[in-house]
């Protein structure tokens, strides 16, 4: 939903900057911590508003950060944080054997889609009592009806297993879904990928939503 997107655009940069500034130095581990903390804080901010408004808005996130660490100046790193089913790829030049011919491009995937039928995601969801089922596409589903916003919803589901917002799948047990344990069927915890960039070979990064990857392979986008 657009209100969740607007909240992320408005709040995540400032919160992330504050979390990075709170660390003793800029390192790979501290930046990872800052990203995870910022995502949790911004998600909880939106959920607080969503509880008050009974709003079901949600959003995915794909974030790319390019930086140098304090301990290794001159070494350029790329940290990609993914929440949902957007995807990032890195396109790196490959020289011909004699280094004089034309260069091709090699594609490296920087994130894995958070689909409910992914083995680890399915295990997490089902351990909490949620259901993963195929309804046109694979969805994470509340196993029984819920009451939300003054209406009864017989079967509510989402085609991604991680997202910001989506209150009903974060806290279904608060809205009549007694079969689900406390926890989040849909999580806003980002999955992180760290790579060291080579400015002489790395050409560009593509960050795109599922609408692109539903019709293109990684190599096609590169």
């Amino acid at each position: 939903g657009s209100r969740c997107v607007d909240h992320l655009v408005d709040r995540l940069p400032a919160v992330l900057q504050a979390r990075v500034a709170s660390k003793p130095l800029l390192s790979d581990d501290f930046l990872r911590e800052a990203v995870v903390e910022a995502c949790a804080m911004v998600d909880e901010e939106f959920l607080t508003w969503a509880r008050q408004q009974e709003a079901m808005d949600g959003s995915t996130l794909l974030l790319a950060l390019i930086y140098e660490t304090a301990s290794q100046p001159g070494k350029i790193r790329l940290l990609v944080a993914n929440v949902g089913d957007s995807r990032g790829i890195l396109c790196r030049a490959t020289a011909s054997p004699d280094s004089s011919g034309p260069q091709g491009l090699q594609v490296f995937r920087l994130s894995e889609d958070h689909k409910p039928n992914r083995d680890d995601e399915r295990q997490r969801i089902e351990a909490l009592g949620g259901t993963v089922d195929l309804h046109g596409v694979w969805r994470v589903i509340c196993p029984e009806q819920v009451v939300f916003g003054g209406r009864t919803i017989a079967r509510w589901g989402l085609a991604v297993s991680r997202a910001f917002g989506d209150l009903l799948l974060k806290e279904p047990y608060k809205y009549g879904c007694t079969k689900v344990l406390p926890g989040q069927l849909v999580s806003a915890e980002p999955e992180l990928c760290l790579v060291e960039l080579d400015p002489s070979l790395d050409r560009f990064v593509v960050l795109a939503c599922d609408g692109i990857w539903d019709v293109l392979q990684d190599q096609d986008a590169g």
Side-chain angles (χ1 to χ4, degrees), residues 124 140 158 160-163 165-166 169-170 184-188:
R124 177 183 61 78
V140 49
L158 192 67
V160 294
S161 55
R162 300 197 195 190
D166 286 303
L169 289 167
K170 292 280 174 66
Q184 299 183 341
L185 297 182
V186 171
S187 168

Side-chain angles (χ1 to χ4, degrees), residues 137-187:
V137 296
W138 287 101
R139 300 178 187 274
V140 49
I141 297 172
C142 291
E144 58 186 328
Q145 72 177 24
V146 293
V147 178
F148 190 84
R151 61 192 177 106
T152 299
I153 304 172
R155 195 170 172 83
W156 181 253
L158 192 67
V160 294
S161 55
R162 300 197 195 190
F164 289 84
D166 286 303
L167 174 62
L168 192 51
L169 289 167
K170 292 280 174 66
E171 303 173 347
Y173 47 89
K174 293 184 177 180
Y175 300 96
C177 187
T178 59
K179 295 180 180 179
V180 174
L181 298 173
Q184 299 183 341
L185 297 182
V186 171
S187 168

Side-chain angles (χ1 to χ4, degrees), residues 40 78 88 109 159 173 182 194:
L78 169 66
R109 186 177 290 194
Y173 47 89
L194 177 66

